[in-house]
Amino acid sequence: MTSEFISLDHGSGGKIAHRLTADLLLPLFNNPILSDMHDGAVLALNDHTRVAFSTDTFTVTPLFFPGGDIGELAVNGTINDVAMCGATPLFISLALIIEEGFPMADLTRILQSIQQAATRAGVQVVTGDTKVVPKGAADGLFINTSGIGLIPENVTIGSTGARPGDKIILSGTMADHGMTILTQREGLSFDHAIQSDSAPLNQMVAKILAASGKVHVLRDPTRGGVGTTLNEIAESSRAGIVLQESCLPVREAVAGVCELLGFDPLYVANEGKLLAFVAAEDAEKVLAAIQSDPFGREACVIGYVTAEHPGQVVLETLIGGRRIVDMLTGEQLPRIC
């Protein structure tokens, strides 16, 4: 660790955040479960029963935004992390840190959103906690959710599973959530409205696993976006990744906002998309399964895994060249989730 104090960069999901994990957290708590560095922990209860467990804290600002709010985001985010382990999410916890003076009407609205999101995803809120802190000690409301789900016996998915020849499928357009939060926070308006892609992906994952037994990696590209998530997978799997710029899906309005404000959509957060690494022979089946889901209709193949340049992500550009896609450096958009 080279920095004396914590900065916003340490929460970005990029290089500095990874350094914090590698230099401080892992040496203290290292064990085979944690060192896998997946979206959730895979826990073997016995020879036949495995569960996925994940926890997350949500500090997004503003609390309400087009396409969702902090409550729906908290439920979907935790459900998705459990689902990315190949599990069926079953139960979540709910912990609230509320600032003194927070409007009761807003709290009621957020709790109703949580209830609706949990019902839609088929999970139950089964435990929780509430703390109230003095005015000025928090920014309105923070939410922590943890989730647990069962993993089928024949499913083995993790960040280390990418194999040369795998096709990489992205379930929809990039950067919708991050750009929505930024424009709302800064009071920016454009001719074409954009909204968050916050969504539960557990039903989509169930369709993927029903379509193929050759799914090697599932990840939802949240903080740090698609670019950072792919770097994490390449590093964990010691494999190379090739992206095809012509195949990367970005909504026209979102692309315009990114260009205007100087953001690369590859590094902007999503909250309702997943990346699937699938054996080439099953890629079309999995793509069709994803496209059959309401949240995956714009899914497409964006690249492949190679034995060349292990640990690196390379982009084939529109003009026929190649450039390295590195992990996010610095904090682009703090408090987006």
Side-chain angles (χ1 to χ4, degrees), residues 77-118:
T78 295
I79 285 172
N80 292 346
D81 282 349
V82 171
M84 293 309 113
C85 298
T88 301
L90 297 173
F91 307 107
I92 61 172
S93 67
L94 174 66
L96 308 173
I97 300 174
I98 311 170
E99 183 185 19
E100 178 188 17
F102 190 75
M104 188 64 73
D106 286 350
L107 180 60
T108 300
R109 178 181 169 188
I110 289 166
L111 291 175
Q112 289 172 341
S113 180
I114 289 170
Q115 187 274 328
Q116 291 165 4

Side-chain angles (χ1 to χ4, degrees), residues 2-26:
T2 57
S3 56
E4 188 176 356
F5 302 101
I6 290 292
S7 71
L8 285 172
D9 291 353
H10 286 101
S12 67
K15 281 187 175 180
I16 295 178
H18 278 258
R19 198 173 304 140
L20 177 69
T21 300
D23 295 349
L24 182 60
L25 297 175
L26 277 178

Side-chain angles (χ1 to χ4, degrees), residues 59-186:
T59 66
V60 65
T61 179
L63 298 177
F64 303 95
F65 45 84
D69 58 46
I70 189 173
E72 179 184 13
L73 186 66
V75 174
N76 291 341
T78 295
I79 285 172
N80 292 346
D81 282 349
V82 171
M84 293 309 113
C85 298
T88 301
L90 297 173
F91 307 107
I92 61 172
S93 67
L94 174 66
L96 308 173
I97 300 174
I98 311 170
E99 183 185 19
E100 178 188 17
F102 190 75
M104 188 64 73
D106 286 350
L107 180 60
T108 300
R109 178 181 169 188
I110 289 166
L111 291 175
Q112 289 172 341
S113 180
I114 289 170
Q115 187 274 328
Q116 291 165 4
T119 299
R120 181 173 62 242
V123 301
Q124 291 180 288
V125 177
V126 293
T127 188
D129 185 41
T130 302
K131 294 291 190 296
V132 177
V133 298
K135 194 169 186 63
D139 188 5
L141 174 69
F142 298 154
I143 298 178
N144 175 273
T145 44
S146 297
I148 193 165
L150 282 174
I151 302 174
E153 284 192 53
N154 61 337
V155 172
T156 301
I157 290 172
S159 292
T160 61
R163 305 174 188 177
D166 281 356
K167 297 291 186 181
I168 304 169
I169 299 171
L170 177 61
S171 66
T173 53
M174 301 187 299
D176 296 319
H177 178 74
M179 285 297 100
T180 298
I181 296 300
L182 175 63
T183 55
Q184 290 296 303
R185 188 181 297 166
E186 301 302 326

Side-chain angles (χ1 to χ4, degrees), residues 191-206:
D191 291 339
H192 300 284
I194 60 175
Q195 67 175 35
S196 171
D197 59 344
S198 177
L201 301 176
N202 51 321
Q203 296 301 321
M204 181 188 296
V205 170

